Amino acid sequence: SVNKYDFFLMCSDGLSNEVNLDIIKSYNLEETEKALNVYGALKRLIKKYDLNAVTVRCFDLLKAVHTTGCLALAILNAEGIPAACEGDQKSLISMVILNALTGGSGFMANPSCMDSEKKEIIFAHCTLPIDMPDDYNLTTHFESGVGVAVAGNLESQEMTIFKCDETMKRYYAGRATLLETMHRKDLCRTQMKLYLEDGTEYFAKYPISNHHIICKGDWKEVIDQFFEQM
């Protein structure tokens, strides 16, 4: 007989090599199956409509199928398909640009806490691309307590925070240093405390919406050059 994970792999054309099947298999079987079904459904839609990127109104999934898109989007981003949550088209555009410029994944996250004197900010979200962390585990979606979300750990390193608006005329690109990843119970499941080279004023006074995209490495100069040519 074929177990449900082997059946899933056959139906969805396989998972990214970044997926740790031991981690997936060790989590709640029923919840993981539902989360992977969302991934499989998205892969089939991507193939059917020849999509290069997707965004999902993931909170609608809570009522429809009683799960979230966190794990599905985390896997898609690791596979090189920019995938944003909450139907956020502005963030998806930013993720596509960042992926094209860097060739890597971007973590779509919310600024949650700021310390202007220390130039520190905490970003958090539940759908960290699984190729970004040094290690990760699966847990529930923060706001709903259901589904399957990703809680990751990364070593301290240079990062870039990026966002552009829908006109492509206004953008933010900031250098940052990851100070630590955290696991507070009152925030979304992957939490990054960052030191911002240019401070927190932009986020406090005139951010481009709420979600921003974080990637590994210092890509500010590359981003600035790209928008200078627009």
Side-chain angles (χ1 to χ4, degrees), residues 11 14 28 56 58 64 69 90 120 140 147 173 187 198 204 214 219:
C11 291
N28 181 288
V56 179
C58 41
K90 204 176 293 184
E120 293 178 0
T140 58
L187 294 174
D198 56 2
I214 304 169
W219 295 93

Side-chain angles (χ1 to χ4, degrees), residues 7-199:
F7 180 74
F8 164 76
L9 292 174
M10 289 189 294
C11 291
S12 63
D13 297 323
L15 287 166
S16 163
N17 291 331
E18 300 290 347
V19 175
N20 187 322
L21 288 178
D22 290 333
I23 292 176
I24 287 180
K25 292 179 179 180
S26 68
Y27 193 63
N28 181 288
L29 188 66
E30 180 180 355
E31 292 300 328
T32 305
E33 182 183 14
K34 288 189 289 186
L36 291 178
N37 282 338
V38 174
Y39 165 78
L42 289 174
K43 283 299 287 284
R44 291 188 290 275
L45 288 171
I46 289 167
K47 183 177 181 180
K48 179 178 179 179
Y49 295 104
D50 193 24
L51 303 178
N52 296 313
V54 295
T55 182
V56 179
R57 291 171 55 178
C58 41
F59 279 95
D60 290 359
L61 296 175
L62 290 171
K63 291 183 179 180
V65 292
H66 201 62
T67 190
T68 66
C70 304
L71 182 59
L73 301 182
I75 296 171
L76 288 173
N77 278 301
E79 293 177 331
I81 302 171
C85 46
E86 299 181 38
D88 189 340
Q89 298 177 38
K90 204 176 293 184
S91 289
L92 183 62
I93 292 171
S94 300
M95 294 174 82
V96 169
I97 292 171
L98 199 61
N99 177 260
L101 294 177
T102 70
S105 299
F107 174 41
M108 173 180 164
N110 298 311
S112 301
C113 307
M114 291 188 291
D115 187 325
S116 59
E117 292 185 0
K118 293 183 178 180
K119 297 185 177 181
E120 293 178 0
I121 188 168
I122 297 174
F123 278 90
H125 231 214
C126 291
T127 182
L128 177 75
I130 57 173
D131 62 333
M132 285 187 69
D134 300 309
D135 61 79
Y136 66 93
N137 65 280
L138 303 181
T139 182
T140 58
H141 175 244
F142 170 62
E143 287 91 343
S144 65
V146 302
V148 183
V150 178
N153 295 298
L154 292 84
E155 293 184 358
S156 178
Q157 59 192 285
E158 289 185 334
M159 310 288 275
T160 303
I161 306 172
F162 171 66
K163 185 68 175 289
C164 68
D165 68 9
E166 65 276 13
T167 69
M168 302 281 287
K169 294 180 179 179
R170 183 179 173 224
Y171 76 98
Y172 170 84
R175 294 186 176 96
T177 301
L178 175 61
L179 301 175
E180 62 175 324
T181 45
M182 309 161 65
H183 296 281
R184 286 172 44 171
K185 294 182 179 180
D186 61 340
L187 294 174
C188 292
R189 304 311 189 186
T190 290
Q191 305 156 20
M192 296 182 182
K193 180 186 284 188
L194 299 165
Y195 170 82
L196 306 181
E197 183 180 88
D198 56 2

